[in-house]
Amino acid sequence: MRAALVVLLLCVAAVMAADEERARLLVAKDISNVALVEGRDVVVKYSVHNIGTGSAFDVKITDDSFSKSQFDFVMGTPSAEFDVVKADESATHVFVIRPLFTGPYNFTTASVSYVAVEGEEPVVGLTSNPGSGEVMLDSDFARATENHLIEWICFAGIMLLIPIGIPYINSQNRISKRK
């Protein structure tokens, strides 16, 4: 009898929890660039995914980690607002910055707030942490990624000289001995 009552209460609690439509957001912060270079654009993307059963209202992302003394804001802002993110849907926000320095930089989380059920207090959380990266000089990046055209031409010339040049010299020597 007691076990049946516990099972009944668990079933009622599960049904009540299933009836309540509640939003649950997963928010990721991503640095899209492979290399971070001083004076070159860096793309930052926020991805908001609603994995809940209800819509999220008044979604706000605030990121204070990019100071104007270290970055130029090329396009967009590091803050975003979405009126509604429906259940099983996603929203994205992209902005572009340009680093004004070289050296290590720790990309920290942004804060997120949203109303999970209308009439309730906002839920406050954080985005994922993209980690740290090294902002390198433009000249160092160019040196590391250029195609080294002159070196390849010299290498090809030397490598072609051996299989073509040696037989040519031998044939010229034979011709000169016959004359």
Side-chain angles (χ1 to χ4, degrees):
M1 176 74 174
R2 196 172 203 185
L5 183 61
V6 170
V7 170
L8 180 65
L9 286 175
L10 287 174
C11 289
V12 169
V15 168
M16 288 176 64
D19 286 343
E20 182 180 0
E21 290 189 357
R22 184 171 201 78
R24 291 192 57 191
L25 296 185
L26 298 176
V27 184
K29 177 180 177 181
D30 183 43
I31 307 300
S32 299
N33 296 51
V34 174
L36 304 172
V37 182
E38 177 187 28
R40 293 199 185 184
D41 292 351
V42 175
V43 178
V44 182
K45 178 181 174 184
Y46 298 117
S47 301
V48 180
H49 306 284
N50 187 350
I51 61 169
T53 56
S55 296
F57 301 98
D58 197 25
V59 180
K60 294 179 184 173
I61 301 172
T62 308
D63 194 346
D64 298 326
S65 63
F66 300 106
S67 70
K68 293 191 184 254
S69 65
Q70 291 182 312
F71 295 95
D72 267 344
F73 291 89
V74 178
M75 184 190 83
T77 63
S79 299
E81 292 188 20
F82 305 100
D83 293 330
V84 177
V85 179
K86 295 181 180 178
D88 294 327
E89 289 191 3
S90 300
T92 58
H93 174 72
V94 177
F95 67 98
V96 180
I97 55 175
R98 190 173 291 146
L100 302 173
F101 66 97
T102 59
Y105 187 76
N106 186 22
F107 293 97
T108 58
T109 60
S111 63
V112 180
S113 68
Y114 64 97
V115 177
V117 176
E118 281 189 289
E120 288 188 2
E121 290 293 315
V123 176
V124 178
L126 299 173
T127 64
S128 62
N129 187 350
S132 60
E134 183 77 23
V135 179
M136 63 175 68
L137 285 169
D138 190 38
S139 59
D140 291 342
F141 178 73
R143 189 178 315 116
T145 59
E146 70 183 11
N147 59 7
H148 304 283
L149 185 62
I150 293 172
E151 289 90 346
W152 280 108
I153 290 172
C154 292
F155 175 74
I158 292 169
M159 295 311 291
L160 288 174
L161 181 66
I162 294 170
I164 295 174
I166 292 175
Y168 177 76
I169 292 171
N170 282 340
S171 69
Q172 290 300 319
N173 285 340
R174 286 186 190 155
I175 291 174
S176 65
K177 285 183 184 177
R178 288 186 191 164
K179 289 185 182 181

